[in-house]
Amino acid sequence: IMAYKCLSVAIVTTGHPNSIRDLDALTLQMTTDEIVTAQKLSQKWVDELELQWNSPQIVELRKESEAGDPHAQRMLAGFYFTGKNSVLRNYEKGLAWLRKAADQGEAGAQYDLGMCYLHGVRGVEHNEETARELFLKSAQGGYSRGQYEMGLIEGGGVDNEWLRKAALQGNYNAQ
């Protein structure tokens, strides 16, 4: 019975269309300890299945990410956010990889994370000050989209240094 319950929770984790209704009915029959155990086991099963489903390119990207490559971490985060290339959509994992890349100074990741904070999406609380800090780091790292956002934050105008820098890099919106 516990294996059935874990499998049901795993199906929910993968986003099966009928799974939410089924999980609600199932959890009414489970104790709190059973729910916690089922969630832990189901996540382990989903992780193992995901590794089997992933393409060789995603497996390699995951290895590079785990080895600390911030560019690979940002790319892997994007796959988790979109659920593309045989990666199961998982905002929590995507956000974890994006934070790792941003913490290492990957300017694109800093911009992406800033957008999450600006709009309060993908499991991140809306926080304009944190978004601004991340956009500034991204802009200082030379990322044109970060420079553009900083230009907007500072009020735009033809004399805005951030917009000028973004425009010089070919950022269409800044031109």
Side-chain angles (χ1 to χ4, degrees):
I1 299 249
M2 190 59 180
Y4 165 75
K5 292 176 180 178
C6 291
L7 182 58
S8 296
V9 174
I11 291 169
V12 170
T13 306
T14 64
H16 189 277
N18 295 327
S19 60
I20 299 301
R21 178 178 38 84
D22 295 342
L23 181 64
D24 288 343
L26 181 63
T27 54
L28 291 174
Q29 304 167 25
M30 296 171 71
T31 67
T32 303
D33 289 342
E34 287 178 323
I35 292 171
V36 170
T37 302
Q39 288 172 334
K40 287 178 184 176
L41 288 172
S42 66
Q43 187 57 56
K44 180 181 177 199
W45 292 347
V46 168
D47 290 344
E48 289 172 6
L49 282 173
E50 186 179 26
L51 289 176
Q52 293 172 14
W53 292 337
N54 286 162
S55 66
Q57 294 84 5
I58 296 297
V59 171
E60 185 61 31
L61 187 63
R62 188 182 317 273
K63 286 180 187 174
E64 292 170 8
S65 296
E66 290 170 353
D69 182 335
H71 303 295
Q73 291 168 344
R74 179 180 179 217
M75 288 179 62
L76 187 57
F79 290 131
Y80 274 117
F81 287 143
T82 61
K84 293 185 178 176
N85 288 358
S86 73
V87 176
L88 295 175
R89 181 176 288 163
N90 186 321
Y91 290 148
E92 188 177 310
K93 286 183 180 182
L95 192 57
W97 284 117
L98 190 60
R99 286 184 198 279
K100 286 181 183 187
D103 288 347
Q104 292 184 72
E106 211 286 349
Q110 291 167 332
Y111 168 82
D112 293 344
L113 189 55
M115 291 303 282
C116 290
Y117 277 102
L118 182 64
H119 298 290
V121 296
R122 297 185 171 145
V124 175
E125 291 289 323
H126 173 82
N127 186 321
E128 290 182 14
E129 185 57 34
T130 301
R132 184 193 180 289
E133 291 169 9
L134 288 161
F135 291 145
L136 180 59
K137 288 178 182 180
S138 174
Q140 291 170 335
Y143 194 64
S144 72
R145 293 171 79 180
Q147 293 167 342
Y148 175 72
E149 288 298 325
M150 284 306 300
L152 294 179
I153 289 169
E154 292 181 355
V158 294
D159 294 332
N160 186 286
E161 185 67 20
W162 288 121
L163 289 178
R164 187 184 68 71
K165 287 181 178 186
L168 288 173
Q169 290 193 66
N171 186 301
Y172 178 79
N173 293 321
Q175 296 175 347

